[in-house]
């Protein structure tokens, strides 16, 4: 259900971009999906298939997900480490004074338009 | 020759909503209306807490409630019957959260000229509502004792955007291994600015503190 909601926002933004670029047909949408964004790419593509096929602009359009690995930065020792493996606690110095620098994105990277 | 042309977009899907939310907040500021977004897991006690809170403040501020529900309208009816204040039902059309645009549409049905405080009971869910700014002035969430004290660690985003965390169902503390001090510590880790207010919505214990926080915030917003 979460992913279906997200799909509606993607469709809205893609429609807008298509209009701005004078595009009649979109054949592919490439997403950047952060590893800790809570989006499950398989669910997202399933929901996408169902919803996109209802739109003339997007019928048959493929949704591709690039997974962006999550990285956390430690303010105390400057280390950058994998969030999924180590979480909030810095594996180098044990500090919890850390924050996520990437891996949370749900972003439309680009759209693909057939040439004709 | 390539058979597809690539158009770079590079845009977060939350971007438009964040802008809509900022616009809505600015509009509410001009009109002197305070909007509180109340979130929690299903069944943590949002409706019960609202009834207790509204009955404590309704003589001091003019309150209206918007109940966001996927389908039913039981909560809106409950609020109206228990407090006598106007309460409208927003259907989210299957969505697991409300966004700023849906909130604005809901507010079109509230007489804002005669209202100081609008409370939005969001859809019961700890993930999606945290990602979509509704345009509310403040965010509150309820964590109930049976859910466990480690929720701030599991749903960091929700706790990081909340101005106040209400811990509800304190009456059942003896039956669960909920550790209030640990919970406070975990909340602080995620969000040092969040206030933690333990209550029992069933009996009303502790609700005064939440009501005071709310009245103070409304006052700050209007002045
Ligand atoms: N023991 C106890 N039960 C409570 C308390 N507060 C609420 N409840 C009960 O918890 C159940 C859910 O309460 P609601 O207020 O409907 O919770 P809600 O968050 O509005 O639920 P949804 O809108 O369905 O997500 C009801 O049976 C309440 O009577 C409390 O402080 N103690
Ligand atoms: Mg409710
Ligand atoms: Zn470190």
């Amino acid at each position: 259900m979460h992913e279906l909601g997200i799909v509606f926002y993607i469709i809205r933004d893609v429609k807008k971009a298509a209009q701005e670029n004078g595009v009649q047909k979109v054949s592919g949408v490439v997403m950047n999906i952060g590893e800790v964004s809570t989006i499950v790419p398989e669910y997202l593509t399933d929901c996408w298939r169902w919803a996109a096929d209802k739109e003339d602009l997007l019928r048959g359009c493929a949704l591709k997900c690039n997974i962006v690995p999550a990285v956390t930065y430690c303010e105390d020792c400057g280390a950058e480490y994998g969030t999924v493996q180590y979480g909030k606690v810095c594996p180098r110095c044990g500090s919890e004074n850390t924050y996520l620098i990437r891996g949370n994105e749900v972003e439309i990277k680009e759209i693909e338009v057939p040439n004709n | 020759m390539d058979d597809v042309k690539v158009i770079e977009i590079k845009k977060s899907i939350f971007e438009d909503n964040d802008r809509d939310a900022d616009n809505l907040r600015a509009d509410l500021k001009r009109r002197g209306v305070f909007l509180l977004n109340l979130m929690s897991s299903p069944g943590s006690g949002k409706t019960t807490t609202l009834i207790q809170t509204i009955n404590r403040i309704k003589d001091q501020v003019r309150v209206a409630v918007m109940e966001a529900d996927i389908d039913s309208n039981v909560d809106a009816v409950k609020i109206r019957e228990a407090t006598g204040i106007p309460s409208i039902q927003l259907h989210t059309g299957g969505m697991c959260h409300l966004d700023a645009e849906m909130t604005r549409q809901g507010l079109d049905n509230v007489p804002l000229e005669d209202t100081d405080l609008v409370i939005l009971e969001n859809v019961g869910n700890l993930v999606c509502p945290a990602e979509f700014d509704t345009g509310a002035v403040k965010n509150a969430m309820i964590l109930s004792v049976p859910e466990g004290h480690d929720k701030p660690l599991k749903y960091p985003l929700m706790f990081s955007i909340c101005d106040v965390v209400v811990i509800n169902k304190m009456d059942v503390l003896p039956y669960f291994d909920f550790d209030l001090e640990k919970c406070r510590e975990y909340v602080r880790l995620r969000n040092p600015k969040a206030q933690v207010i333990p209550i029992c919505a069933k009996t009303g214990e502790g609700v005064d503190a939440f009501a005071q926080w709310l009245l103070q915030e409304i006052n700050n917003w209007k002045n």
Side-chain angles (χ1 to χ4, degrees):
Chain A
M1 195 160 58
H2 178 48
E3 279 74 10
L4 182 58
I6 298 291
V7 159
F8 290 131
Y9 291 94
I10 301 175
I11 289 178
R12 188 188 63 181
D13 283 351
V14 170
K15 273 180 164 171
K16 212 162 132 187
Q19 202 174 21
E20 283 165 9
N21 289 280
V23 165
Q24 311 299 328
K25 190 80 198 159
V26 177
S27 56
V29 172
V30 182
M31 300 291 300
N32 286 330
I33 303 289
E35 205 178 9
V36 297
S37 67
T38 76
I39 304 285
V40 182
E42 294 76 46
Y43 295 171
L44 194 69
T45 46
D46 284 353
C47 294
W48 171 261
R49 193 67 285 130
W50 179 83
D53 285 347
K54 295 192 179 349
E55 305 280 342
D56 287 341
L57 176 75
L58 302 172
R59 198 158 296 119
C61 173
L63 186 79
K64 302 164 201 173
C65 297
N66 281 335
I67 306 303
V68 181
V71 176
T72 295
Y73 175 77
C74 173
E75 289 206 310
D76 288 342
C77 78
E80 288 183 10
Y81 62 89
T83 312
V84 170
Q85 190 176 0
Y86 298 106
K88 181 88 183 139
V89 181
C90 174
R92 190 155 94 188
C93 74
S95 167
E96 290 192 6
N97 196 8
T98 59
Y99 61 87
L100 191 70
I101 52 178
R102 60 180 165 274
N104 205 18
E105 37 287 273
V106 186
E107 176 181 272
I108 303 174
K109 180 172 181 282
E110 58 203 24
I111 60 175
E112 296 165 355
V113 178
N115 263 333
N116 45 26
Chain B
M1 220 190 117
D2 282 349
D3 55 354
V4 295
K5 183 172 85 178
V6 173
I7 302 174
E8 172 151 320
I9 309 282
K10 208 114 181 34
K11 177 180 167 192
S12 162
I13 62 146
F14 303 114
E15 194 180 301
D16 286 0
N17 185 63
D18 288 347
R19 201 190 44 233
D20 292 347
D22 286 339
N23 290 341
L24 179 55
R25 245 186 313 276
D27 194 29
L28 291 170
K29 178 79 185 176
R30 269 193 301 276
R31 304 171 82 159
V33 176
F34 186 96
L35 175 64
L36 177 74
N37 175 24
L38 181 62
M39 297 171 285
S40 83
S41 307
S44 299
K46 296 181 290 297
T47 305
T48 314
T49 303
L50 283 186
I51 290 169
Q52 288 278 1
T53 307
I54 290 165
N55 282 332
R56 282 169 169 73
I57 63 175
K58 66 182 179 192
D59 294 337
Q60 296 160 71
V61 287
R62 297 165 300 176
V63 191
V65 171
M66 298 198 295
E67 289 287 339
D69 233 308
I70 291 177
D71 199 24
S72 79
N73 68 346
V74 288
D75 281 351
V77 172
K78 235 189 256 173
I79 296 269
R80 227 176 291 141
E81 286 176 351
T83 65
I85 65 139
S87 163
I88 61 166
Q89 187 72 48
L90 305 180
H91 292 300
T92 59
M95 294 280 246
C96 45
H97 63 273
L98 276 189
D99 64 17
E101 185 50 37
M102 293 186 259
T103 306
R104 181 187 279 286
Q105 285 168 18
L107 287 170
D108 285 344
N109 301 300
V110 176
L112 292 179
E113 305 71 41
D114 306 315
T115 307
D116 304 301
L117 165 67
V118 180
I119 303 175
L120 169 65
E121 178 177 334
N122 213 316
V123 182
N125 178 332
L126 289 184
V127 180
C128 326
E131 294 172 335
F132 290 91
D133 189 341
T134 56
V137 180
K138 294 283 166 181
N139 292 312
M141 76 156 294
I142 300 180
L143 172 65
S144 64
V145 165
E147 295 169 71
H149 56 251
D150 55 0
K151 281 287 180 295
L153 301 181
K154 292 184 178 164
Y155 299 92
L157 184 62
M158 173 58 79
F159 286 84
S160 69
I161 63 149
C162 278
D163 302 284
V164 60
V165 177
V166 171
I167 312 287
N168 188 30
K169 309 196 185 179
M170 288 300 286
D171 55 315
V172 301
L173 203 57
Y175 311 106
F176 292 88
D177 57 0
F178 187 96
D179 185 329
L180 184 59
E181 283 322 302
K182 272 219 179 92
C183 187
R184 283 183 192 279
E185 186 189 318
Y186 293 158
V187 171
R188 198 169 338 108
L189 238 139
R190 293 307 174 211
N191 184 352
K193 290 197 278 288
Q195 278 200 43
V196 176
I197 304 178
I199 70 164
C200 172
K202 196 176 161 188
T203 62
E205 216 179 317
V207 176
D208 281 341
F210 179 61
Q212 281 314 313
W213 171 83
L214 192 53
L215 288 173
Q216 183 62 55
E217 292 295 340
I218 295 167
N219 204 40
N220 294 347
W221 181 246
K222 285 185 159 252
N223 296 311

